[in-house]
Amino acid sequence: MYKTIIIIPCFKVEKHILNLLKKINFDAIYKILIIDDNCPNKTGLLVRKQFKYKKVEVFILKKNLGVGGATKFGIKKSLKFRPDNIIKIDGDGQHDPKFLYKFINLQKLNPECYIKGYRNLSYLNIPKSRLFGGFIITQIIRVLTFNFYLKDVVNGFISIPRSIYSNINYNNLDNGYFFEQDLIFYISLKKFKIIQ
């Protein structure tokens, strides 16, 4: 059986998380780990009360670790299941779960590759300052990693296969919003291939 673990770091996403979970096809995944990053709005408790499902496990952190720290916590907790891949999606609904099948099937075909989601930023209703910031960060990461084909490096919809997640020193990765960029940089240094 192919095991996919979904990690969803949560901070102030109580208005989105239940709708997001309802859109997930649970037949395709082994387990979902909800990581409540010491959310003041008690997102984790909301999930525990209103979405009781055996494939969903909720962790409530005593201290806010940041989105990267919460993701790293989720990755470490998922290791006991020895998943074939770990997929991280954001709890605010910006990543459509309908693409999970695509991620999983692509990962099955490419067990040695890191899979990165991307958005067509020109079509999204994003403030120009954020759009410009994302563009600049993408250009910098392209140059630093020599991966000049990378798109939207700030997107957090990712899949990490066992061959990669078991070879990462998570202490070296950022705990904040630069987690994904750090991960790309680290993976590039290790010469792993990135698929988008």
Side-chain angles (χ1 to χ4, degrees):
M1 175 188 175
Y2 192 87
K3 285 186 186 176
T4 295
I5 301 277
I6 308 293
I7 294 171
I8 308 178
C10 296
F11 189 79
K12 295 184 178 179
V13 294
E14 73 284 352
K15 293 179 181 176
H16 309 281
I17 190 65
L18 296 177
N19 191 44
L20 173 69
L21 289 170
K22 288 172 186 173
K23 290 180 179 178
I24 293 175
N25 181 347
F26 282 83
D27 293 337
I29 55 111
Y30 184 76
K31 191 166 280 287
I32 292 179
L33 305 185
I34 301 288
I35 314 300
D36 179 320
D37 193 19
N38 195 240
C39 175
N41 299 335
K42 314 286 186 198
T43 301
L45 290 178
L46 175 71
V47 173
R48 278 185 182 163
K49 289 178 183 176
Q50 297 193 27
F51 202 87
K52 295 179 181 181
Y53 192 71
K54 62 182 180 181
K55 287 190 176 184
V56 176
E57 195 169 342
V58 177
F59 296 90
I60 299 174
L61 304 182
K62 293 180 180 177
K63 177 183 174 185
N64 181 272
L65 300 179
V67 66
T71 301
K72 290 192 288 185
F73 179 90
I75 291 171
K76 288 173 185 174
K77 287 296 179 184
S78 72
L79 297 181
K80 69 178 180 181
F81 302 108
R82 288 198 43 82
D84 293 285
N85 72 318
I86 298 169
I87 295 177
K88 180 249 177 191
I89 61 175
D90 290 338
D92 60 4
Q94 67 172 295
H95 304 141
D96 194 332
K98 73 180 181 183
F99 293 108
L100 284 172
Y101 262 131
K102 189 170 186 179
F103 269 74
I104 293 167
N105 290 333
L106 196 56
Q107 193 70 88
K108 284 179 181 177
L109 294 171
N110 300 277
E112 306 296 319
C113 298
Y114 171 74
I115 299 175
K116 180 95 176 77
Y118 70 92
R119 302 161 290 183
N120 188 338
L121 296 176
S122 61
Y123 292 105
L124 295 177
N125 187 20
I126 296 176
K128 289 185 179 179
S129 58
R130 280 188 61 196
L131 196 63
F132 182 70
F135 173 78
I136 293 299
I137 292 170
T138 296
Q139 300 310 311
I140 291 169
I141 297 298
R142 282 177 175 175
V143 171
L144 290 176
T145 63
F146 296 100
N147 289 320
F148 296 103
Y149 58 89
L150 287 174
K151 307 172 188 177
D152 189 19
V153 300
V154 297
N155 188 289
F157 201 166
I158 60 174
S159 178
I160 313 169
R162 182 184 298 160
S163 60
I164 294 179
Y165 74 65
S166 58
N167 286 295
I168 292 175
N169 181 352
Y170 297 98
N171 295 327
N172 293 335
L173 301 180
D174 186 69
N175 282 338
Y177 288 106
F178 289 104
F179 169 77
E180 279 87 13
Q181 294 80 51
D182 260 4
L183 187 56
I184 289 172
F185 190 72
Y186 192 85
I187 285 170
S188 297
L189 284 177
K190 293 281 187 179
K191 307 296 184 186
F192 287 110
K193 186 179 177 184
I194 299 173
I195 294 176
Q196 299 176 92

